[in-house]
Amino acid sequence: MMDKKGIFHLLDKKISSQSLPTKREKKTLFIHIDKRKKFVIGVAFLSLILFITELQFGKSGFLIAAFLSLLTNLFLYWAIRYDLKDNFSFNLFILPFFYSLAFALFYFLIPARLLFRLALTSFYAFGLYSLFLSQNIFTVSAIRTIALLSGARIVSFVLTLLSIFFLTNIVYTLHLHILPTIFLIALYSYPLVYQSLWTYVLQKTEYPLILWSGVITLCLIEVASALWFWPTSPTVIALFVTGFFLYSCRSFSCVAREEAF
């Protein structure tokens, strides 16, 4: 006759075999995670990397900044890859890359205090989650019209302004010669201008978009070149360049409403 310990052992083994998922079931559950949960997982992981970058890696954090930017796009692709099967666009990954890059590099310019770093990390996490939602809306809007498109454009535009301000501030803080300064500004200005204008036309023809982006970027370079000779702080210059970008893109949005690109 089986004792009590043997009975409890059999019951425990049976319950465990029924409640614990198999490896295949775990893989299926991981693949079919809700899209918003994927956004939350990505934002939490990326925010943690951003927070420990300066604390643990010091100067090598510049390399971590590039890695963080690439990882941001990987998390975004992981979350919306099923929606991209019939409507893939590289424009969706421009702003997330430069947004993370701008925050990761600007992280080294703020005071080395825990309160400031916690505040910046929290702001980064909130903006990144909003950005992921906006990029998801753009993906769906290219297929069908949805009511949240205007809100996604506003969020994307505000985060683009923030990215340009941070990156311009960083470039002028380096106090480089005028030619490297112009090169760096052109390096991030054209992609950010292009994706910002793209949010107004989405899947429509890209020729006017390329032309407008080139013209606005050229104007930004000319303004940045003139400001290089202006003896003022990098923050003031970054504000001026960001304001010019704001005016230029708003002008394009007015033209885009009047003309069907």
Side-chain angles (χ1 to χ4, degrees):
M1 195 172 176
M2 188 177 295
D3 56 356
K4 293 182 178 180
K5 291 184 178 180
I7 295 174
F8 284 119
H9 178 73
L10 289 175
L11 289 174
D12 182 67
K13 186 176 181 181
K14 186 176 181 180
I15 293 173
S16 299
S17 63
Q18 292 178 352
S19 59
L20 294 177
T22 62
K23 291 183 178 180
R24 186 174 182 180
E25 289 174 342
K26 288 180 179 180
K27 185 178 180 181
T28 303
L29 290 173
F30 181 76
I31 293 176
H32 295 286
I33 297 176
D34 182 71
K35 193 183 297 183
R36 287 181 178 268
K37 292 181 181 178
K38 291 181 180 179
F39 289 157
V40 172
I41 293 172
V43 169
F45 187 76
L46 294 169
S47 300
L48 181 61
I49 294 178
L50 178 67
F51 182 73
I52 66 176
T53 296
E54 173 66 11
L55 299 179
Q56 299 294 332
F57 297 101
K59 293 182 179 179
S60 62
F62 288 98
L63 299 176
I64 304 299
F67 172 74
L68 181 70
S69 302
L70 294 173
L71 199 59
T72 302
N73 282 341
L74 288 178
F75 272 110
L76 177 61
Y77 178 78
W78 173 54
I80 64 174
R81 67 184 187 278
Y82 293 114
D83 296 327
L84 293 174
K85 288 182 178 179
D86 299 325
N87 186 41
F88 183 83
S89 176
F90 286 105
N91 301 322
L92 294 168
F93 302 96
I94 295 176
L95 182 55
F97 177 87
F98 285 102
Y99 176 80
S100 291
L101 183 66
F103 265 86
L105 295 178
F106 190 76
Y107 216 62
F108 297 96
L109 300 182
I110 65 174
R113 297 179 182 177
L114 182 62
L115 182 61
F116 284 101
R117 301 196 180 283
L118 285 174
L120 188 64
T121 304
S122 301
F123 188 75
Y124 168 77
F126 176 77
L128 184 61
Y129 183 74
S130 303
L131 179 58
F132 279 172
L133 293 178
S134 300
Q135 302 306 94
N136 179 54
I137 292 173
F138 291 142
T139 305
V140 178
S141 298
I143 303 174
R144 63 180 184 274
T145 304
I146 58 177
L148 298 175
L149 182 58
S150 59
R153 284 171 175 165
I154 294 174
V155 171
S156 177
F157 187 66
V158 170
L159 296 180
T160 303
L161 291 176
L162 190 63
S163 300
I164 286 183
F165 172 75
F166 281 173
L167 291 172
T168 305
N169 201 337
I170 293 164
V171 169
Y172 279 93
T173 301
L174 297 176
H175 300 290
L176 301 173
H177 193 267
I178 185 171
L179 293 180
T181 300
I182 293 174
F183 173 76
L184 291 175
I185 290 176
L187 193 63
Y188 64 81
S189 292
Y190 184 82
L192 287 175
V193 169
Y194 183 86
Q195 71 81 30
S196 184
L197 302 186
W198 171 80
T199 60
Y200 290 95
V201 296
L202 295 179
Q203 77 275 21
K204 298 178 182 179
T205 178
E206 295 185 355
Y207 175 73
L209 195 61
I210 295 173
L211 180 62
W212 272 84
S213 301
V215 171
I216 294 176
T217 302
L218 181 61
C219 294
L220 278 173
I221 292 174
E222 292 176 352
V223 171
S225 302
L227 292 175
W228 187 86
F229 298 95
W230 190 19
T232 186
S233 64
T235 303
V236 175
I237 296 177
L239 285 172
F240 198 96
V241 173
T242 306
F244 182 82
F245 170 82
L246 170 64
Y247 175 78
S248 301
C249 290
R250 295 307 297 174
S251 299
F252 174 84
S253 65
C254 294
V255 173
R257 292 189 186 98
E258 295 177 359
E259 300 182 13
F261 280 2

